[in-house]
C-alpha cells in the first residue's frame, strides 16, 4: 500500500502512519494502541517522561522493533523497507568520543552505515573519505564545515551533536528520526540545533524528535505528541501543553512555571537522570 497518495486533512501526503500499534521487548509491553500520522515537512516532538516509550517508538519507526499488533508504515511500506530513505540518530550517550577520528571521517561514515570503534571498517572508509560531495553538503548544512579536519573528541558538546546530525543527513534522507538529540546540551547549543532542524523541515524534511524538554517544544515545534505508554495528546504545543495533559503525561513529577510571552510552560522533575533526591 502506498502512503504517498494519502493526505491528512488536506495537509499533504502522510509519510509516517501508525495504526493501533502495540509493541515492546520480550515479555514487556511498552507502547499500546498508538495511532497517528505525520505528513511530509512536519517537525514533530514526541514528549513523555523517562521510560514512557519515546525511544521504543523511534526504534519501531526505524524498523528495529516489529509491531506486536497494529501497523507501522513509513514512506511507502514497512519501516525496514523505508530505512535507506530514513536518517536515524540514536542517543549520543552511545558514542565513544575518545576514538581518534576527524569530523569529516565521522560524517563520511553516514554514507556507509558504519560506527567508529570498529577497526575492520577503518581502512575502507578512510580510503573513501572526502570523495562524495554529500559530505561537504551535510557539513555545511549543520555548520561544521570549518571543523572538518578536527578530532571529534576536541569539540564542544554542541559541535559534536551537529557532527552526529551531519552524519545522519549525509545520505540526504527524507525523514529524520532523532532520539533526544539535544539531551545534555546547554540552552544555546540546544537552540542552535533546534534552529537547524526547523530549517531542515522548512526545506521539506519530515522530522520526528524524542525529547523531554517542554520549553523548547513550545518554542521550536508546531506539533507535539505526548506519550506515556500510549498516546495522551497530539496537536500544537500551545493547545496540547496544558496542565491537565502534562499531569496525565508526566504524573505529578512536574515543575510548573511561567516563561515570558510563551505563557504557561512546564518541565518534568526527572530529566537527564536527575531525581528529586539527587
Ligand atoms: P524513553 O525513551 O521514553 O525513556 P524507552 O522507550 O527507552 O523510554 O523505554 C520504555 C520502557 O522499555 C522502559 O521501561 C525500559 O526499561 C524498557 N526497555 C527499553 N529498552 C529495552 C530493552 N532493550 N529490553 C527490555 N526493555 C527495554
Amino acid at each position: 500500500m502506498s502512503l504517498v497518495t494519502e493526505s491528512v486533512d488536506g495537509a499533504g501526503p502522510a509519510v509516517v502512519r501508525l495504526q493501533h500499534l502495540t509493541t515492546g521487548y520480550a515479555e514487556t509491553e511498552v507502547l499500546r494502541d498508538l495511532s497517528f500520522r505525520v505528513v511530509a515537512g512536519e517537525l514533530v516532538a514526541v514528549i513523555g517522561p523517562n521510560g514512557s516509550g519515546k525511544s521504543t517508538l523511534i526504534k519501531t519507526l526505524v524498523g528495529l522493533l516489529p509491531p506486536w499488533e497494529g501497523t507501522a508504515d513509513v514512506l511507502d511500506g514497512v519501516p525496514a523497507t523505508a530505512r535507506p530513505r530514513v536518517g536515524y540518530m540514536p542517543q549520543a550517550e552511545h558514542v565513544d568520543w575518545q576514538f581518534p577520528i576527524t569530523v569529516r571521517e565521522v560524517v563520511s561514515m553516514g554514507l556507509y552505515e558504519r560506527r567508529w570503534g570498529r577497526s575492520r571498517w577503518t581502512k575502507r572508509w578512510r580510503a573513501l573519505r572526502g570523495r562524495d560531495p554529500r559530505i561537504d553538503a551535510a557539513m555545511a548544512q549543520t555548520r561544521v564545515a570549518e571543523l572538518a579536519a578536527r578530532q571529534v573528541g576536541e569539540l564542544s558538546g554542541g559541535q559534536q551533536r551537529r557532527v552526529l546530525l551531519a552524519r545522519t543527513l549525509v545520505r540526504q534522507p527524507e525523514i529524520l528520526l532523532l532520539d533526544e538529540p539535544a539531551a545534555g546540551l546547554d540552552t544555546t547549543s540546544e537552540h542552535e540545533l533546534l534552529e537547524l532542524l526547523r530549517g531542515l523541515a522548512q526545506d521539506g524534511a519530515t522530522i520526528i524528535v524524542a525529547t523531554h524538554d517542554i520549553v523548547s517544544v513550545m518554542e521550536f515545534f508546531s506539533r507535539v505528541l505526548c506519550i506515556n505508554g500510549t498516546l495522551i495528546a497530539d496537536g500544537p504545543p500551545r493547545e496540547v501543553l496544558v496542565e491537565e495533559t502534562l499531569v496525565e503525561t508526566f504524573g505529578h513529577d512536574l515543575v510548573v512555571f511561567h516563561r515570558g510571552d510563551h505563557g504557561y510552560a512546564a518541565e518534568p522533575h526527572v530529566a537527564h537522570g536527575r531525581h528529586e533526591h539527587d
Side-chain angles (χ1 to χ4, degrees), residues 25 30 49-56 59:
Y25 307 90
V30 175
N50 290 338
S52 60
K54 302 183 294 295
S55 294
T56 303
K59 285 177 192 166

Side-chain angles (χ1 to χ4, degrees), residues 16 39 42 58 94 102 125 157 175 183 186 192 195-196 202 207 210 214 234-235 245 264 269:
V16 170
V39 302
E42 275 195 284
I58 299 271
H94 303 304
T102 67
W125 57 253
I175 298 179
D186 59 74
E192 280 171 7
E195 198 67 66
L196 277 175
Q202 281 162 359
I207 309 180
I214 296 169
D234 175 1
T245 314
Y264 173 79
H269 266 307

